[in-house]
Amino acid sequence: MKKILGIGNALTDIILQINDDNALKQLNLPKGSMQLVDEKKQNEISEFFKQENRTMITGGSASNTINGITRLGGQAGFIGKTGRDDVGTFYTEDSLHNGVQPFLLKSDTPSGRCLILVSSDGERTMCTYLGAASELEAGELHADMFEGYDIFHIEGYLVQNHQLLRTAMQQAKAAGALISIDLASYNVVEENIGFLKEILAEYVDIVFANEEEARAFTGKEPLEALDELALHARIAVVKIGKGGSYIKTAKGFCHVQALKSNCTDTTGAGDLYAAGFLYGMSRELPLEVCGQIGSIVAGHVVEVIGAKMSDDTWTCILNEINNLTGEN
């Protein structure tokens, strides 16, 4: 089985269910977007929604993907940065508990956290205070971190740090790894389109995008956007929500159906789709099967609040995957 290494913002998610989207307008938060905020702004938002129910779990896009891979039985590690605080300790212990090999650097700055505002239709709006996570620097990476890993997965939220990503991708390529990137959020794509096109052309082998991210990158609708993304990366994946996902390579195209689900919260759906897909790749399964595994995992995570699922749900997921691959 191939090993997968991820890099991303080590964040703790604070998930709030909101009943009125007008509150997002009052706070100048575009629904479905990811906004970087300072500690003061995050405290303001948290105070605004202080009466709402909240759940706190470890998160971050690439971290969710890597944790999903290990819960499926894969081998994976994660590079990130946390503070020397209780949140950072919790993050490290949770990673180890999930079987992840952590490469977590430390800072005196508070650990990062993300407020996830979940609307009644399941759409999520994210307000992220990066804290210590934003201090991860290119000079802190070293070749030993990448040794023995076959796939290197990057969250798109890191694209603001060009030097960090270039160094990481260069070291991953030197170690012989394929490079995977999740485009993360349409506004992040819009703000970094030039750099993203450059690194996709030069380094990336696998690219994941949802409809909005694909449109922001190409200006086109899903199928045409898929064609363009496939010109940049060896494997292009465009996710279309309830419509499933499209996968294209130089050798062919397939459409994978979504799992029928009762959607409660879309938080982590893309991250867990990537987890299932990359896990399938680590087992060298056909790409259509990789997409089907991604759909199974994503289909279950939208039925819970947040990106973490119970042991019983993971057992159900593994049984469904075993049925799919004929291992039962």
Side-chain angles (χ1 to χ4, degrees):
M1 181 180 289
K2 297 181 182 296
K3 294 177 65 178
I4 301 164
L5 178 67
I7 188 170
N9 291 312
L11 303 174
T12 295
D13 290 341
I14 302 169
I15 303 165
L16 299 93
Q17 291 182 285
I18 62 174
N19 298 316
D20 185 1
D21 287 345
N22 287 326
L24 298 176
K25 295 178 182 178
Q26 292 179 50
L27 292 163
N28 195 28
L29 300 172
K31 184 177 178 180
S33 69
M34 192 288 288
Q35 303 290 317
L36 289 177
V37 298
D38 59 20
E39 194 172 12
K40 180 181 178 181
K41 179 65 174 179
Q42 192 178 72
N43 288 339
E44 175 194 340
I45 297 166
S46 185
E47 179 66 19
F48 190 96
F49 293 110
K50 65 182 179 181
Q51 301 300 325
E52 308 294 344
N53 294 327
R54 61 186 62 200
T55 305
M56 189 165 75
I57 55 175
T58 56
S61 176
S63 176
N64 288 337
T65 298
I66 293 302
N67 277 273
I69 289 165
T70 57
R71 291 305 303 261
L72 290 170
Q75 299 179 57
F78 177 75
I79 300 171
K81 197 167 192 176
T82 63
R84 294 184 176 89
D85 51 21
D86 290 343
V87 173
T89 300
F90 173 66
Y91 197 99
T92 302
E93 290 176 350
D94 188 67
S95 297
L96 291 167
H97 175 74
N98 288 324
V100 176
Q101 181 179 3
F103 300 98
L104 293 174
L105 300 150
K106 295 295 180 182
S107 169
D108 291 328
T109 302
S111 295
R113 56 211 70 194
C114 178
L115 286 176
I116 301 176
L117 310 174
V118 183
S119 298
S120 57
D121 61 0
E123 184 63 86
R124 79 270 193 255
T125 303
M126 296 182 287
C127 309
T128 303
Y129 165 62
L130 292 173
S134 67
E135 298 177 354
L136 184 61
E137 298 177 355
E140 295 176 301
L141 303 178
H142 53 83
D144 290 349
M145 292 176 170
F146 299 85
E147 187 175 343
Y149 287 96
D150 305 287
I151 300 172
F152 180 53
H153 181 66
I154 301 163
E155 66 177 65
Y157 296 121
L158 293 184
V159 297
Q160 289 92 343
N161 192 331
H162 295 188
Q163 186 179 1
L164 173 66
L165 276 201
R166 283 189 186 282
T167 300
M169 290 185 290
Q170 287 166 0
Q171 293 196 11
K173 284 293 186 185
L178 296 176
I179 292 180
S180 162
I181 189 168
D182 191 318
L183 294 187
S185 177
Y186 72 87
N187 56 319
V188 173
V189 174
E190 289 171 348
E191 293 164 8
N192 298 275
I193 188 68
F195 179 66
L196 278 169
K197 287 187 174 182
E198 183 182 331
I199 64 172
L200 257 68
E202 191 170 355
Y203 297 105
V204 173
D205 300 287
I206 308 154
V207 59
F208 297 96
N210 65 22
E211 287 182 79
E212 291 180 330
E213 294 152 10
R215 188 180 298 114
F217 189 90
T218 66
K220 300 174 181 177
E221 295 308 304
L223 279 172
E224 290 184 332
L226 180 78
D227 290 339
E228 185 168 328
L229 286 168
L231 296 175
H232 294 277
R234 187 164 66 87
I235 300 169
V237 181
V238 174
K239 299 160 290 180
I240 52 173
K242 293 179 181 179
S245 58
Y246 299 130
I247 304 166
K248 184 169 184 178
T249 71
K251 295 182 179 179
F253 161 88
C254 65
H255 175 210
V256 175
Q257 297 293 331
L259 188 74
K260 291 184 179 180
S261 307
N262 296 315
C263 182
T264 299
D265 173 19
T266 59
T267 302
D271 304 335
L272 272 296
Y273 179 96
F277 193 97
L278 295 175
Y279 168 72
M281 286 195 66
S282 77
R283 293 179 52 186
E284 301 184 83
L285 297 172
L287 291 182
E288 184 172 3
V289 177
C290 294
Q292 290 168 338
I293 295 172
S295 290
I296 289 170
V297 186
H300 281 280
V301 80
V302 300
E303 296 186 327
V304 302
I305 299 297
K308 294 293 189 292
M309 294 178 280
S310 68
D311 291 345
D312 287 344
T313 301
W314 280 110
T315 297
C316 179
I317 288 170
L318 290 169
N319 286 336
E320 291 179 32
I321 292 171
N322 288 339
N323 288 334
L324 173 68
T325 58
E327 293 177 342
N328 269 356

